[in-house]
Amino acid sequence: LGTNTVRFLVVDVDPAGRWSGVAEDQQVTRLGAGLAESGALGEDAMARTSAVVTAYVDRARALGAAGVRIVATSAVREASNGRAFAAAIQAQTGRPVEIVSGAEEARLTLRGVSRGLGGLPGLTLLVDIGGGSTEYVLARDGLAVHAVSLRLGVVALAERFPFPDRVDWSRYGELARHVAERLARELPPTIVAGPVDRLVGTAGTATTLAALDLALTRYDPGRVQGHALHRAAIERLLARLGALSVRQRAALPCLEPGRADLIIPGIAIAQATLDRVGADALV
């Protein structure tokens, strides 16, 4: 249950703990809309999100799920009414809402990425660009060494630096400087102390950019996962997307309409991360 997107996954688990997917889905509900300014979740955003979560719980039960977990991240943990919203979801679905900390979100993300990429030998820096926060995890041989969760998310950035039409490049420069300054100020030296074997990106910004770089007409996780997004490719994608309005971006294959306004600030975080780490590519 994220700041921008609600994700749904049902799996079969065998006695050895291996699992295989049964069903998955996601819907953009923009739960964190206006949160940065007001400090609270909005009524419309809560209503949209509650309806999707309730439908997903019903769908999971209809598929025979023995256990249903609802896990909330940045928007719910930071909002002044986040716990009240979690209680309302529990009353409606009969299932408690687990509000994870930034550190726990980082740990779980690292586990998922390590499994998805078949292990992470050597030194890896993981960046999870989210709607309400961005997590950085430094891992050695797949085990976290240092982690930090920054209140730097694409939803708040899109609200502060909107580009409904073609990108105003002077305004994008302000966005890029703002993000770079935040990373310089808030990323601990332990995270960016030296070179890493790989920089790995996860979540919607990274996967969308990879799909666009691969010129996919339909999203293919098998090709997206493990794709290397080089700095020059990200710059080309920024120029291409920046020449389009939000409506035109939303019409591109593999770019969800609910992400069309978020992809520009997502690129700013990706570029600033490459610069800060001194990396040439994002896996």
Side-chain angles (χ1 to χ4, degrees), residues 193-214:
V196 296
D197 295 307
R198 71 191 61 78
L199 175 65
V200 176
T202 188
T205 292
T207 57
T208 298
L209 292 176
L212 292 172
D213 188 40
L214 289 163

Side-chain angles (χ1 to χ4, degrees), residues 29-31 40-52 81-82 84-86 88-89:
T29 65
R30 197 62 65 93
L31 176 61
L41 302 174
E43 293 296 331
D44 290 346
M46 288 191 290
R48 288 192 302 270
T49 304
S50 178
V52 170
N81 57 347
F85 176 62
I89 291 281

Side-chain angles (χ1 to χ4, degrees), residues 109-197:
T109 301
L110 175 62
R111 288 189 64 185
V113 168
S114 181
R115 180 187 175 97
L117 293 180
L120 298 170
L123 202 59
T124 299
L125 181 59
L126 167 66
V127 55
D128 177 6
I129 302 172
S133 64
T134 296
E135 281 69 45
Y136 289 86
V137 186
L138 185 66
R140 188 178 300 279
D141 296 328
L143 298 176
V145 178
H146 299 286
V148 64
S149 179
L150 307 184
R151 292 183 64 175
L152 178 69
V154 292
V155 171
L157 287 175
E159 291 172 351
R160 180 172 176 178
F161 298 93
F163 297 104
D165 300 310
R166 292 169 59 120
V167 168
D168 176 335
W169 294 112
S170 63
R171 185 69 171 148
Y172 181 81
E174 294 177 26
L175 165 62
R177 284 190 295 275
H178 171 77
V179 173
E181 289 167 2
R182 289 282 305 272
L183 295 192
R185 189 167 62 245
E186 298 175 27
L187 268 184
T190 51
I191 294 289
V192 289
V196 296
D197 295 307

